[in-house]
């Protein structure tokens, strides 16, 4: 492997990264076509982190349509997708370089550096497996020695991801005597190893949650892991943007709409979760979720209710009236400098709430929980409000939200996780874990089909991406052996 890695070149590792002039994204930026042997770990880490967050973004531009966070211009519903941009990031810009960092870390005894690379590798291979099921991994970085890499099963990839995280946790809990420290090339935590340790536990709990249906982990296992995870919003795994580089949700939805180009608009599903439609407020003190105007803008007439767009529709909302809700210029997720988040403290609390609910014997329709589940549910909402600087006091006091331990249902937990994880690809995993259940995601309905749409997938949910043309063309036999229709569940959801 070492000789192969030596021949891997950075090439265009930093398309968009190199162009940024701010020091924040120029940390140890290598130039194009530099041999990886000539680069240090610090030269590689920043670009890998940058690509990791952009991979999440690229996957979400498709998955977020499936989860009805948004629809495209004309409010179209996405068809099946290759997610080719995410694939390219993982296989061209991430995995070869995490391997290089791990190799260099082993040679120098920099175990903490190697641990960070292991966490990043686990994040990316698990995302790839989530989107495509079986994927190249164990042979993925063989380079020209093996131009036709075999695919690992999703089960094998997940086992590898958990092993990577366990190895990273062990290393981060050990003393590093190499005198080589992670520094400002770490675009997430600035070299804070304690925060990387909490991130490893939180990410592991997320993956364990995915595997519960296969009987590999229990809700009790998840609870044990998450106890070592994030403890506040200060731990959130996110990459901030300097003023010289624009957040892509802003540039590709706000700026494009302002200039008459393709954009996305919020879906009726998310807006109905927040405007009192799906969950009517009961106290008389609150009409809408206070996060709604922080995230979106209402372009209707004064006093008009917030109306999102129905996916696959022609501009209408679920009440038959014209939709009026758009991404906000300066909104939390669509500010020019908004961060890209991978996993947050709020999500950690909803993982804990769900696991505790299930450990208490709960299911998709049962009512009542234990105090652990309820307190985590409330803490998750509190964290989301804090993150968006929203005043959630009246909202959280409303009996539609503060339902009490004995009335808590799974749909309450998943509703708040759905809102808190807006534009996070993890929601696609939640939908598939619960088979797109409207008991768990209240009022969830299939996309509308356009006139004359005779697709073979009409009336079906998209449950995976299809392999990109680039992989089909270069590795046809292996791809064909692993091919599944986009409406077939990935392994952990079967």
């Amino acid at each position: 492997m070492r000789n192969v890695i030596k021949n891997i070149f950075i090439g265009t590792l930093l398309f968009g990264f190199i162009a940024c002039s701010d020091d924040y994204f120029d940390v140890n930026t290598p130039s194009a076509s530099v041999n990886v042997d000539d680069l240090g770990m610090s030269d590689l880490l920043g670009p890998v982190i940058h690509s990791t967050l952009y991979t999440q973004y690229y996957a979400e531009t498709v998955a977020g349509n499936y989860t009805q966070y948004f629809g495209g211009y004309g409010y179209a519903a996405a068809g099946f997708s290759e997610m080719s941009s995410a694939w390219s990031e993982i296989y061209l810009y991430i995995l070869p370089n995490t391997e290089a960092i791990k190799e260099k870390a082993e040679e120098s005894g920099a175990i903490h550096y190697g641990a960070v690379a292991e966490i990043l590798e686990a994040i990316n291979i698990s995302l790839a497996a989530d989107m495509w099921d079986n994927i190249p991994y164990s042979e993925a970085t063989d380079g020209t020695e093996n131009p036709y890499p075999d695919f690992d099963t999703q089960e094998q990839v997940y086992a590898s991801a958990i092993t990577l995280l366990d190895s990273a946790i062990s290393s981060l809990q050990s003393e590093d005597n190499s005198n080589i420290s992670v520094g400002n090339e770490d675009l997430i935590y600035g070299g804070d190893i304690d925060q990387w340790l909490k991130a490893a536990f939180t990410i592991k709990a997320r993956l364990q949650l995915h595997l519960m249906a296969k009987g590999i982990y229990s809700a009790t296992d998840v609870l044990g892991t998450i106890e070592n995870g994030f403890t506040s919003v200060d731990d959130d795994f996110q990459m901030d943007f300097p003023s010289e580089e624009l957040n892509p949700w802003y540039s590709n939805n706000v700026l494009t709409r302002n200039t008459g180009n393709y954009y996305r608009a919020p879906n009726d599903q998310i807006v109905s979760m927040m405007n009192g439609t799906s969950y009517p407020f009961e106290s008389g003190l609150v009409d809408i979720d206070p996060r709604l105007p922080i995230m979106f803008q209402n372009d209707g007439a004064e006093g008009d209710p917030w109306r999102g767009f129905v996916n696959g529709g022609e501009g209408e909302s679920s009440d038959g009236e014209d939709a009026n809700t758009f991404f906000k210029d300066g909104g939390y997720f669509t500010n020019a400098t908004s961060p890209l988040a991978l996993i947050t403290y709020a999500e950690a609390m909803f993982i804990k709430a769900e696991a505790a609910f299930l450990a208490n014997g709960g299911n998709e329709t049962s009512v009542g929980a234990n105090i652990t589940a309820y307190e985590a549910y409330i803490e998750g909402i509190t964290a989301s409000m804090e993150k968006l600087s929203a005043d959630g006091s009246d909202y959280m006091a409303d009996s539609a939200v503060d339902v009490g331990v004995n009335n808590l249902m799974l749909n309450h937990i998943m509703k708040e996780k759905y809102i808190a994880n807006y534009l996070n690809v993890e929601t696609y995993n939640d939908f598939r874990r619960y088979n797109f259940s409207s008991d768990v995601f209240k009022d969830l309905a299939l996309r509308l089909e356009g006139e004359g749409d005779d697709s073979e997938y009409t009336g079906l949910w998209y449950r995976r991406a299809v392999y990109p043309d680039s992989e089909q063309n270069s590795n046809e036999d292996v791809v064909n052996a692993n091919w599944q229709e986009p409406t077939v569940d990935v392994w952990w959801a079967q």
Side-chain angles (χ1 to χ4, degrees):
M1 174 66 75
R2 183 183 178 197
N3 289 333
V4 175
I5 293 295
K6 279 184 177 181
N7 294 321
I8 294 174
F9 289 83
I10 295 300
T12 55
L13 173 66
L14 290 184
F15 76 100
F17 201 103
I18 294 172
C20 179
S21 62
D22 192 281
D23 288 344
Y24 182 79
F25 280 161
D26 275 348
V27 172
N28 298 309
T29 301
S31 59
S33 299
V34 176
N35 190 303
V36 76
D37 258 2
D38 297 330
L39 298 170
M41 293 179 290
S42 61
D43 298 311
L44 295 167
L45 182 60
V48 168
I49 290 173
H50 187 274
S51 286
T52 295
L53 271 297
Y54 265 85
T55 297
Q56 302 282 318
Y57 163 74
Y58 291 135
E60 177 61 7
T61 58
V62 176
N65 193 300
Y66 297 162
T67 57
Q68 301 190 11
Y69 275 151
F70 53 74
Y73 177 76
Y75 323 107
F80 68 88
S81 174
E82 296 178 359
M83 294 190 184
S84 56
S85 293
W87 181 280
S88 295
E89 289 289 323
I90 291 169
Y91 288 105
L92 295 180
Y93 308 129
I94 296 174
L95 292 186
N97 294 290
T98 56
E99 287 298 311
I101 294 172
K102 290 191 300 178
E103 207 169 83
K104 291 172 183 290
E106 184 175 1
E107 291 171 355
S108 60
I111 62 172
H112 288 171
Y113 232 113
V116 171
E118 287 178 319
I119 294 168
L120 292 168
E121 189 166 307
I123 289 168
N124 283 283
I125 64 172
S126 59
L127 173 69
D130 290 338
M131 298 303 110
W132 291 280
D133 203 6
N134 298 346
I135 57 164
Y137 175 55
S138 58
E139 300 178 4
T141 55
D142 286 352
T144 56
E145 289 188 2
N146 182 11
Y148 308 110
D150 204 354
F151 284 20
D152 294 39
T153 66
Q154 189 186 55
E155 183 175 9
Q156 292 170 326
V157 173
Y158 257 73
S160 296
I162 296 292
T163 297
L164 285 166
L165 291 170
D166 284 341
S167 175
I169 288 167
S170 177
S171 294
L172 292 172
Q173 289 174 330
S174 302
E175 186 176 357
D176 187 328
N177 296 314
S178 67
N179 293 319
I180 300 173
S181 300
V182 181
N184 62 358
E185 67 275 12
D186 171 9
L187 304 180
I188 307 298
Y189 295 127
D192 189 326
I193 295 304
D194 289 338
Q195 288 191 303
W196 276 105
L197 179 60
K198 287 189 281 188
F201 276 112
T202 307
I203 293 162
K204 181 180 177 180
R206 176 197 266 186
L207 299 189
Q208 288 176 319
L209 197 66
H210 297 174
L211 297 178
M212 279 179 52
K214 307 303 288 187
I216 298 173
Y217 294 102
S218 68
T220 302
D221 293 328
V222 176
L223 288 170
T225 301
I226 203 66
E227 280 304 307
N228 296 296
F230 292 159
T231 56
S232 77
V233 295
D234 293 333
D235 297 328
D236 289 358
F237 190 117
Q238 64 183 32
M239 183 177 73
D240 295 324
F241 281 82
S243 58
E244 286 78 6
E245 180 168 341
L246 300 179
N247 173 288
W249 293 111
Y250 167 77
S251 59
N252 294 321
N253 296 292
V254 174
L255 287 185
T256 50
R257 181 178 177 231
N258 291 342
T259 55
N261 293 301
Y262 178 90
Y263 65 92
R264 303 173 185 87
N267 186 263
D268 177 73
Q269 183 70 25
I270 182 69
V271 175
S272 291
M273 289 280 192
M274 303 178 76
N275 69 1
T277 298
S278 295
Y279 290 84
F281 297 108
E282 299 170 353
S283 65
L285 298 176
V286 58
D287 297 319
I288 60 171
D289 186 318
R291 293 167 290 187
L292 185 58
I294 295 173
M295 295 163 58
F296 309 125
Q297 64 187 45
N298 185 337
D299 283 5
E302 185 175 353
D304 277 358
W306 294 75
R307 297 186 174 103
F309 292 83
V310 176
N311 266 30
E314 297 180 352
E316 73 273 21
S317 191
S318 56
D319 64 0
E321 300 293 328
D322 289 342
N324 57 19
T325 302
F326 296 89
F327 283 114
K328 182 178 181 178
D329 188 348
Y332 178 80
F333 295 99
T334 49
N335 189 301
T337 58
S338 294
L340 288 180
L342 188 144
I343 190 167
T344 65
Y345 173 59
E347 181 185 336
M349 289 299 96
F350 293 123
I351 290 173
K352 182 177 182 178
E354 180 186 352
F357 184 88
L358 297 174
N360 193 54
N363 58 41
E364 296 181 16
T365 57
S366 65
V367 181
N370 57 25
I371 191 64
T372 299
Y374 196 73
E375 287 180 347
Y377 159 75
I378 293 296
E379 180 62 13
I381 303 171
T382 301
S384 177
M385 294 291 176
E386 180 181 350
K387 190 170 186 65
L388 273 64
S389 299
D391 181 356
S393 53
D394 288 342
Y395 175 87
M396 294 179 65
D398 193 286
S399 56
V401 177
D402 187 10
V403 297
V405 175
N406 294 331
N407 294 312
L408 185 68
M409 299 182 69
L410 188 60
N411 72 78
H412 296 124
I413 297 170
M414 300 310 290
K415 167 227 179 181
E416 291 294 342
K417 186 179 181 185
Y418 183 74
I419 296 169
N421 262 8
Y422 191 65
L423 300 183
N424 193 313
V425 71
E426 178 62 15
T427 300
Y428 188 37
N429 296 326
D430 290 340
F431 272 43
R432 291 179 293 171
R433 287 193 300 115
Y434 285 108
N435 195 28
F436 297 86
S437 170
S438 58
D439 288 326
V440 179
F441 300 96
K442 196 172 179 182
D443 296 334
L444 181 64
L446 269 166
R447 62 197 177 275
L448 297 179
E449 303 293 342
E451 290 186 19
D453 189 342
D454 56 357
S455 167
E456 61 187 299
Y457 305 120
T458 298
L460 300 173
W461 294 101
Y462 292 110
R463 297 172 184 265
R464 65 168 71 203
V466 298
Y467 298 115
D469 284 340
S470 59
E471 190 67 18
Q472 295 180 52
N473 293 336
S474 64
N475 199 11
E476 182 178 5
D477 290 343
V478 176
V479 169
N480 287 341
N482 289 275
W483 180 270
Q484 293 283 358
E485 293 293 331
T487 51
V488 174
D489 278 317
V490 297
W491 164 77
W492 55 244
Q494 293 172 0

